[in-house]
Amino acid sequence: MYDARQPDALRGSPLRKSTLNIDLHPTLLELCGVSMPEGTQGRSLVAQLKNEEHPGREMFFIEHHFPDQCFIPSSEAIRTDRWKYIRYTDNAAPFEELYDLQTDLHEVRNLARSPQHRRQFQAMQQYCTRW
């Protein structure tokens, strides 16, 4: 069980492992000592809170296919710690983006058509299609 009163040399330091909002539920359950119901999505982040080894995620898939419910275009994406690939799937906006989050944290420079990043673009494109 995590004890927030324990001294922690890294308290207030950002954690660099990938997490998702679905990780909040299993984390809170574990912190409260409640067993996780079968089929719960997400991973508990308690190990990260305790500065123990936590695998994080190598990559994750994001999708937004809710037409007419908001102003966000329909899209699919793959995200790793370093790369983000986005494919807009609306007929009105067929468009792809690739960002190197290590050098472009604010996603200003779209590398999707960059010859130097062609191999990475194709790999991310294939991951997204396969997923």
Short mmCIF file of all heavy atoms in Angstrom, two decimals, residues 71-102:
data_model
loop_
_atom_site.label_atom_id
_atom_site.label_comp_id
_atom_site.label_asym_id
_atom_site.label_seq_id
_atom_site.Cartn_x
_atom_site.Cartn_y
_atom_site.Cartn_z
N PHE A 71 -16.74 19.17 -32.23
CA PHE A 71 -16.06 19.80 -33.36
C PHE A 71 -14.70 19.18 -33.67
O PHE A 71 -13.91 19.76 -34.39
CB PHE A 71 -15.91 21.30 -33.10
CG PHE A 71 -17.24 21.99 -32.97
CD1 PHE A 71 -17.69 22.40 -31.74
CD2 PHE A 71 -18.02 22.21 -34.09
CE1 PHE A 71 -18.93 23.03 -31.62
CE2 PHE A 71 -19.25 22.83 -33.98
CZ PHE A 71 -19.71 23.24 -32.73
N ILE A 72 -14.43 18.01 -33.12
CA ILE A 72 -13.16 17.33 -33.37
C ILE A 72 -13.36 16.41 -34.56
O ILE A 72 -14.28 15.58 -34.58
CB ILE A 72 -12.72 16.52 -32.14
CG1 ILE A 72 -12.57 17.43 -30.92
CG2 ILE A 72 -11.43 15.76 -32.43
CD1 ILE A 72 -12.34 16.68 -29.62
N PRO A 73 -12.51 16.52 -35.59
CA PRO A 73 -12.66 15.62 -36.74
C PRO A 73 -12.37 14.17 -36.36
O PRO A 73 -11.59 13.90 -35.45
CB PRO A 73 -11.63 16.13 -37.74
CG PRO A 73 -10.76 17.07 -37.02
CD PRO A 73 -11.42 17.45 -35.74
N SER A 74 -13.00 13.26 -37.05
CA SER A 74 -12.78 11.84 -36.84
C SER A 74 -11.31 11.51 -37.10
O SER A 74 -10.74 11.93 -38.11
CB SER A 74 -13.68 11.06 -37.80
OG SER A 74 -13.49 9.68 -37.63
N SER A 75 -10.69 10.76 -36.17
CA SER A 75 -9.26 10.48 -36.31
C SER A 75 -8.87 9.22 -35.57
O SER A 75 -9.58 8.72 -34.71
CB SER A 75 -8.45 11.66 -35.77
OG SER A 75 -8.70 11.84 -34.39
N GLU A 76 -7.69 8.73 -35.94
CA GLU A 76 -7.01 7.62 -35.26
C GLU A 76 -5.57 8.04 -35.07
O GLU A 76 -5.04 8.81 -35.87
CB GLU A 76 -7.06 6.35 -36.12
CG GLU A 76 -8.46 5.91 -36.45
CD GLU A 76 -8.50 4.82 -37.51
OE1 GLU A 76 -7.53 4.68 -38.29
OE2 GLU A 76 -9.52 4.13 -37.56
N ALA A 77 -4.94 7.54 -34.03
CA ALA A 77 -3.56 7.93 -33.77
C ALA A 77 -2.82 6.83 -33.03
O ALA A 77 -3.42 6.01 -32.34
CB ALA A 77 -3.52 9.22 -32.95
N ILE A 78 -1.52 6.85 -33.18
CA ILE A 78 -0.61 5.99 -32.42
C ILE A 78 0.37 6.91 -31.71
O ILE A 78 0.90 7.85 -32.32
CB ILE A 78 0.17 5.02 -33.35
CG1 ILE A 78 -0.77 3.98 -33.95
CG2 ILE A 78 1.31 4.36 -32.61
CD1 ILE A 78 -1.23 2.91 -32.98
N ARG A 79 0.62 6.63 -30.44
CA ARG A 79 1.50 7.49 -29.65
C ARG A 79 2.52 6.63 -28.93
O ARG A 79 2.19 5.60 -28.35
CB ARG A 79 0.63 8.25 -28.63
CG ARG A 79 1.37 9.01 -27.57
CD ARG A 79 1.87 10.33 -28.12
NE ARG A 79 2.11 11.32 -27.09
CZ ARG A 79 3.07 11.28 -26.18
NH1 ARG A 79 3.89 10.27 -26.11
NH2 ARG A 79 3.22 12.26 -25.33
N THR A 80 3.78 7.01 -29.02
CA THR A 80 4.85 6.41 -28.23
C THR A 80 5.44 7.53 -27.38
O THR A 80 5.00 8.68 -27.47
CB THR A 80 5.95 5.79 -29.12
OG1 THR A 80 6.66 6.83 -29.80
CG2 THR A 80 5.38 4.81 -30.15
N ASP A 81 6.44 7.22 -26.59
CA ASP A 81 7.08 8.27 -25.81
C ASP A 81 7.68 9.34 -26.72
O ASP A 81 7.71 10.51 -26.37
CB ASP A 81 8.17 7.70 -24.91
CG ASP A 81 7.58 7.01 -23.69
OD1 ASP A 81 6.42 7.30 -23.34
OD2 ASP A 81 8.29 6.19 -23.08
N ARG A 82 8.16 8.91 -27.88
CA ARG A 82 8.82 9.86 -28.78
C ARG A 82 7.95 10.34 -29.93
O ARG A 82 8.03 11.50 -30.33
CB ARG A 82 10.10 9.24 -29.33
CG ARG A 82 10.82 10.18 -30.27
CD ARG A 82 12.17 9.73 -30.68
NE ARG A 82 12.77 10.72 -31.56
CZ ARG A 82 13.96 10.61 -32.08
NH1 ARG A 82 14.70 9.57 -31.80
NH2 ARG A 82 14.41 11.55 -32.88
N TRP A 83 7.14 9.46 -30.52
CA TRP A 83 6.45 9.78 -31.77
C TRP A 83 4.94 9.84 -31.59
O TRP A 83 4.37 9.12 -30.78
CB TRP A 83 6.78 8.72 -32.83
CG TRP A 83 8.22 8.68 -33.17
CD1 TRP A 83 9.15 7.81 -32.68
CD2 TRP A 83 8.91 9.55 -34.06
NE1 TRP A 83 10.38 8.09 -33.22
CE2 TRP A 83 10.26 9.16 -34.07
CE3 TRP A 83 8.53 10.62 -34.85
CZ2 TRP A 83 11.22 9.79 -34.84
CZ3 TRP A 83 9.48 11.26 -35.62
CH2 TRP A 83 10.81 10.84 -35.61
N LYS A 84 4.32 10.67 -32.43
CA LYS A 84 2.86 10.74 -32.49
C LYS A 84 2.45 10.80 -33.95
O LYS A 84 2.88 11.68 -34.69
CB LYS A 84 2.36 11.98 -31.75
CG LYS A 84 0.84 12.08 -31.71
CD LYS A 84 0.43 13.27 -30.86
CE LYS A 84 -1.05 13.40 -30.70
NZ LYS A 84 -1.39 14.60 -29.90
N TYR A 85 1.64 9.83 -34.35
CA TYR A 85 1.11 9.76 -35.71
C TYR A 85 -0.40 9.92 -35.62
O TYR A 85 -1.06 9.25 -34.82
CB TYR A 85 1.46 8.40 -36.34
CG TYR A 85 0.68 8.12 -37.61
CD1 TYR A 85 1.07 8.69 -38.82
CD2 TYR A 85 -0.44 7.31 -37.58
CE1 TYR A 85 0.34 8.43 -39.97
CE2 TYR A 85 -1.17 7.04 -38.74
CZ TYR A 85 -0.77 7.61 -39.93
OH TYR A 85 -1.49 7.37 -41.06
N ILE A 86 -0.96 10.79 -36.44
CA ILE A 86 -2.40 11.03 -36.46
C ILE A 86 -2.90 10.89 -37.89
O ILE A 86 -2.28 11.41 -38.83
CB ILE A 86 -2.74 12.45 -35.97
CG1 ILE A 86 -2.10 12.72 -34.62
CG2 ILE A 86 -4.25 12.65 -35.91
CD1 ILE A 86 -2.02 14.19 -34.27
N ARG A 87 -4.02 10.19 -38.03
CA ARG A 87 -4.66 10.02 -39.34
C ARG A 87 -6.11 10.47 -39.18
O ARG A 87 -6.87 9.88 -38.44
CB ARG A 87 -4.57 8.55 -39.75
CG ARG A 87 -5.39 8.22 -40.95
CD ARG A 87 -5.17 6.81 -41.47
NE ARG A 87 -5.26 5.77 -40.46
CZ ARG A 87 -4.61 4.61 -40.54
NH1 ARG A 87 -3.81 4.35 -41.56
NH2 ARG A 87 -4.76 3.71 -39.61
N TYR A 88 -6.45 11.55 -39.87
CA TYR A 88 -7.83 12.03 -39.85
C TYR A 88 -8.62 11.21 -40.85
O TYR A 88 -8.20 11.03 -41.99
CB TYR A 88 -7.89 13.52 -40.17
CG TYR A 88 -7.21 14.32 -39.09
CD1 TYR A 88 -5.88 14.71 -39.21
CD2 TYR A 88 -7.89 14.65 -37.92
CE1 TYR A 88 -5.25 15.42 -38.20
CE2 TYR A 88 -7.26 15.35 -36.91
CZ TYR A 88 -5.94 15.73 -37.05
OH TYR A 88 -5.31 16.41 -36.05
N THR A 89 -9.76 10.71 -40.44
CA THR A 89 -10.50 9.74 -41.25
C THR A 89 -11.76 10.30 -41.88
O THR A 89 -12.44 9.58 -42.62
CB THR A 89 -10.85 8.51 -40.40
OG1 THR A 89 -11.58 8.93 -39.25
CG2 THR A 89 -9.60 7.77 -39.96
N ASP A 90 -12.10 11.55 -41.60
CA ASP A 90 -13.25 12.16 -42.26
C ASP A 90 -12.97 12.31 -43.75
O ASP A 90 -11.85 12.59 -44.16
CB ASP A 90 -13.52 13.58 -41.72
CG ASP A 90 -14.21 13.55 -40.37
OD1 ASP A 90 -14.70 12.48 -39.98
OD2 ASP A 90 -14.24 14.59 -39.72
N ASN A 91 -13.99 12.12 -44.56
CA ASN A 91 -13.82 12.35 -46.00
C ASN A 91 -13.44 13.80 -46.28
O ASN A 91 -12.73 14.09 -47.22
CB ASN A 91 -15.10 11.99 -46.75
CG ASN A 91 -15.34 10.50 -46.77
OD1 ASN A 91 -14.40 9.73 -46.68
ND2 ASN A 91 -16.58 10.10 -46.88
N ALA A 92 -13.94 14.69 -45.45
CA ALA A 92 -13.67 16.11 -45.66
C ALA A 92 -12.24 16.49 -45.28
O ALA A 92 -11.74 17.51 -45.71
CB ALA A 92 -14.64 16.95 -44.82
N ALA A 93 -11.58 15.64 -44.49
CA ALA A 93 -10.25 16.01 -44.02
C ALA A 93 -9.28 14.84 -44.03
O ALA A 93 -8.71 14.49 -43.01
CB ALA A 93 -10.35 16.58 -42.60
N PRO A 94 -9.06 14.19 -45.18
CA PRO A 94 -8.06 13.11 -45.19
C PRO A 94 -6.66 13.72 -45.06
O PRO A 94 -6.18 14.40 -45.96
CB PRO A 94 -8.26 12.43 -46.53
CG PRO A 94 -8.90 13.47 -47.38
CD PRO A 94 -9.64 14.40 -46.48
N PHE A 95 -6.06 13.53 -43.92
CA PHE A 95 -4.80 14.21 -43.63
C PHE A 95 -4.03 13.39 -42.61
O PHE A 95 -4.63 12.77 -41.73
CB PHE A 95 -5.13 15.61 -43.06
CG PHE A 95 -3.94 16.50 -42.89
CD1 PHE A 95 -3.31 17.06 -43.99
CD2 PHE A 95 -3.44 16.79 -41.62
CE1 PHE A 95 -2.21 17.89 -43.84
CE2 PHE A 95 -2.35 17.61 -41.46
CZ PHE A 95 -1.74 18.17 -42.58
N GLU A 96 -2.70 13.37 -42.72
CA GLU A 96 -1.86 12.64 -41.77
C GLU A 96 -0.81 13.57 -41.18
O GLU A 96 -0.35 14.50 -41.84
CB GLU A 96 -1.16 11.47 -42.46
CG GLU A 96 -2.13 10.40 -42.92
CD GLU A 96 -1.44 9.34 -43.75
OE1 GLU A 96 -1.01 9.68 -44.88
OE2 GLU A 96 -1.33 8.21 -43.28
N GLU A 97 -0.45 13.29 -39.93
CA GLU A 97 0.56 14.08 -39.24
C GLU A 97 1.53 13.14 -38.52
O GLU A 97 1.13 12.07 -38.06
CB GLU A 97 -0.07 15.00 -38.20
CG GLU A 97 -1.03 16.01 -38.78
CD GLU A 97 -1.72 16.81 -37.71
OE1 GLU A 97 -1.07 17.63 -37.05
OE2 GLU A 97 -2.94 16.60 -37.52
N LEU A 98 2.78 13.55 -38.41
CA LEU A 98 3.79 12.83 -37.64
C LEU A 98 4.62 13.86 -36.90
O LEU A 98 5.10 14.83 -37.50
CB LEU A 98 4.69 12.01 -38.57
CG LEU A 98 5.83 11.26 -37.87
CD1 LEU A 98 5.28 10.12 -37.00
CD2 LEU A 98 6.82 10.73 -38.89
N TYR A 99 4.78 13.65 -35.60
CA TYR A 99 5.55 14.58 -34.79
C TYR A 99 6.59 13.83 -33.98
O TYR A 99 6.31 12.76 -33.43
CB TYR A 99 4.64 15.37 -33.83
CG TYR A 99 3.65 16.22 -34.57
CD1 TYR A 99 2.33 15.83 -34.70
CD2 TYR A 99 4.04 17.41 -35.17
CE1 TYR A 99 1.42 16.61 -35.39
CE2 TYR A 99 3.14 18.20 -35.87
CZ TYR A 99 1.83 17.78 -35.97
OH TYR A 99 0.94 18.55 -36.67
N ASP A 100 7.79 14.39 -33.90
CA ASP A 100 8.85 13.89 -33.03
C ASP A 100 8.74 14.69 -31.73
O ASP A 100 9.16 15.83 -31.65
CB ASP A 100 10.21 14.11 -33.68
CG ASP A 100 11.36 13.56 -32.86
OD1 ASP A 100 11.15 13.24 -31.66
OD2 ASP A 100 12.47 13.47 -33.40
N LEU A 101 8.13 14.07 -30.72
CA LEU A 101 7.87 14.78 -29.47
C LEU A 101 9.13 15.04 -28.66
O LEU A 101 9.11 15.83 -27.73
CB LEU A 101 6.85 13.99 -28.64
CG LEU A 101 5.52 13.76 -29.35
CD1 LEU A 101 4.63 12.85 -28.52
CD2 LEU A 101 4.85 15.08 -29.66
N GLN A 102 10.23 14.41 -29.06
CA GLN A 102 11.50 14.66 -28.39
C GLN A 102 12.06 16.03 -28.78
O GLN A 102 12.67 16.72 -27.98
CB GLN A 102 12.49 13.56 -28.77
CG GLN A 102 13.61 13.36 -27.81
CD GLN A 102 14.36 12.09 -28.16
OE1 GLN A 102 14.78 11.89 -29.31
NE2 GLN A 102 14.54 11.22 -27.19
#
